[in-house]
Amino acid sequence: MLLPSDESGRGRPVVLLHARPTDRTMWGAHLPLLADAGVRAIALDLPGHGDAVVPEGREVAPWTDVLDTLDHLGADRFVLAGNSLGALVALQAAVTAPERIEGLVLVGYRPHDQLASPRLRAAWDAERTALAAGDLDAAVAAGVEAWTSAGATDEVRAHAARMLRGRLIEQLAHGEPTLAADPLGEGTAALRTLSVPALVGVGEHDMPDFFEGGEGLARDLDAEQTVVIPGAGHLAPLEQPSAFCTLLLDFIRRLPHSTCHSRPARISREA
């Protein structure tokens, strides 16, 4: 499945993978900032989000779709930057094709087998209860409350609400797509085999689950201490685009120089 994409700039490819309740438009403010800094920024919709509609009954492997799409776009080697679900998919892509990954920037990560905190369970319950009652507005409001910080601007909250509404409408219409077998497997063994430079971050006001998950991930990847992004909740890049881009660009500048990143994109011959 080739994924919808937006991109800007030229240079080392940096791939932006969004969080679960959002889509690739969460990176709208980041694309010009990164392009101005001399990188090729590519934002993708993951399957079942935004414009990446999954046909009924189709099994999906988002990590494979990301790699296939980047191959189609002519990006051979790249940095993967992901928030929440995007962080998970970045890790899955990295263990699938480590030779293509130059670095990982992962924000708001939590392994699925980690015990959920009362705050996280309450957020899930609020969304499920509202959807069960047929109250889409309440489900969207619960999601915005859970995933953004109290200090988020009205513009950020409105953007988060639009993306979450679109995701919930898609979910109600088609359900959750069936996932292929996770290349990460059980436990952390696959992560410990990665020898890829990594930076792990979390929003200052995110739930404790993601501080715990980030600390464990940093240990597994032999990364430095988890970076806290000030004034942000779970959707830290959305709330603090400038701070996130500064963090990302500083990480990129410290990577070994490589000259083989891109080739001409494949020309689609589909009607």
Side-chain angles (χ1 to χ4, degrees):
M1 179 177 179
L2 295 181
L3 302 173
S5 64
D6 293 322
E7 67 172 275
S8 185
R10 299 179 65 182
R12 175 179 246 147
V14 178
V15 183
L16 305 168
L17 303 178
H18 61 78
R20 170 189 168 270
T22 70
D23 55 51
R24 75 184 191 276
T25 68
M26 79 168 280
W27 304 108
H30 304 72
L31 293 177
L33 293 174
L34 296 172
D36 287 347
V39 301
R40 179 189 179 191
I42 304 170
L44 302 178
D45 272 338
L46 295 173
H49 299 258
D51 297 322
V53 178
V54 177
E56 292 283 350
R58 176 170 177 171
E59 182 181 78
V60 297
W63 51 94
T64 300
D65 295 334
V66 166
L67 295 169
D68 288 348
T69 301
L70 293 170
D71 185 49
H72 182 78
L73 294 174
D76 290 326
R77 304 192 72 230
F78 37 82
V79 174
L80 287 175
N83 181 200
S84 190
L85 170 64
L88 172 63
V89 175
L91 289 168
Q92 292 166 328
V95 300
T96 301
E99 71 284 355
R100 298 185 66 181
I101 313 303
E102 294 190 313
L104 294 166
V105 176
L106 311 165
V107 176
Y109 173 80
R110 168 190 171 274
H112 289 310
D113 59 357
Q114 179 180 298
L115 185 65
S117 70
R119 185 177 163 193
L120 181 56
R121 288 197 301 271
W124 291 339
D125 290 343
E127 180 181 296
R128 281 195 294 261
T129 299
L131 289 177
D135 192 341
L136 182 60
D137 289 341
V140 170
V144 172
E145 180 68 21
W147 309 123
T148 62
S149 72
T153 65
D154 290 342
E155 181 181 5
V156 164
R157 286 176 171 264
H159 189 179
R162 288 194 300 272
M163 293 186 290
L164 180 55
R165 183 178 296 275
R167 170 62 185 140
L168 290 176
I169 290 172
E170 172 69 16
Q171 179 182 322
L172 290 170
H174 303 289
E176 293 285 356
T178 302
L179 288 175
D182 189 342
L184 295 178
E186 299 292 333
T188 62
L191 294 178
R192 292 178 181 274
T193 66
L194 287 174
S195 57
V196 175
L199 183 149
V200 180
V202 65
E204 178 186 10
H205 304 299
D206 204 351
M207 301 179 190
D209 309 71
F210 301 99
F211 281 85
E212 181 183 345
E215 290 167 1
L217 181 61
R219 288 193 299 271
D220 291 334
L221 297 178
D222 196 24
E224 296 179 359
Q225 187 175 6
T226 304
V227 176
V228 177
I229 300 174
H234 187 60
L235 301 179
L238 180 67
E239 288 196 54
Q240 300 293 341
S242 294
F244 177 78
C245 285
T246 297
L247 192 70
L248 175 58
L249 290 168
D250 180 65
F251 172 80
I252 292 169
R253 292 185 186 107
R254 291 185 279 114
L255 294 176
H257 180 69
S258 175
T259 58
C260 183
H261 294 110
S262 303
R263 52 181 166 69
R266 293 183 185 177
I267 299 174
S268 174
R269 301 189 182 277
E270 298 176 357

